[in-house]
Amino acid sequence: MAKQKHFGVSRVIQPDGPTALIERVEIEVVFSKVVEELSWQELQDNGAWRQGWI
């Protein structure tokens, strides 16, 4: 997903079991619709991600 700038979380991946914590999400590139799965904690890395339209 090189040079892509605008993403949205398109799906929260539900864990197996009612007491399990959510660990994974899917993000989608706004313009190309490419989807990638990653840990939601990765989205907290301010060096890689910024919230909002910059």
Side-chain angles (χ1 to χ4, degrees):
M1 288 204 245
K3 296 190 179 190
Q4 300 293 332
K5 293 183 180 184
H6 304 289
F7 299 84
V9 173
S10 57
R11 182 169 77 108
V12 175
I13 299 170
Q14 297 299 319
D16 298 332
T19 60
L21 299 175
I22 293 170
E23 296 181 13
R24 312 282 300 164
V25 295
E26 283 185 355
I27 60 170
E28 183 176 339
V29 180
V30 173
F31 297 112
S32 68
K33 306 297 183 196
V34 172
V35 174
E36 181 176 324
E37 182 180 317
L38 63 143
S39 166
W40 70 263
Q41 290 94 340
E42 291 180 54
L43 297 175
Q44 294 181 322
D45 178 358
N46 292 332
W49 302 99
R50 293 187 192 170
Q51 184 176 0
W53 295 88
I54 298 182

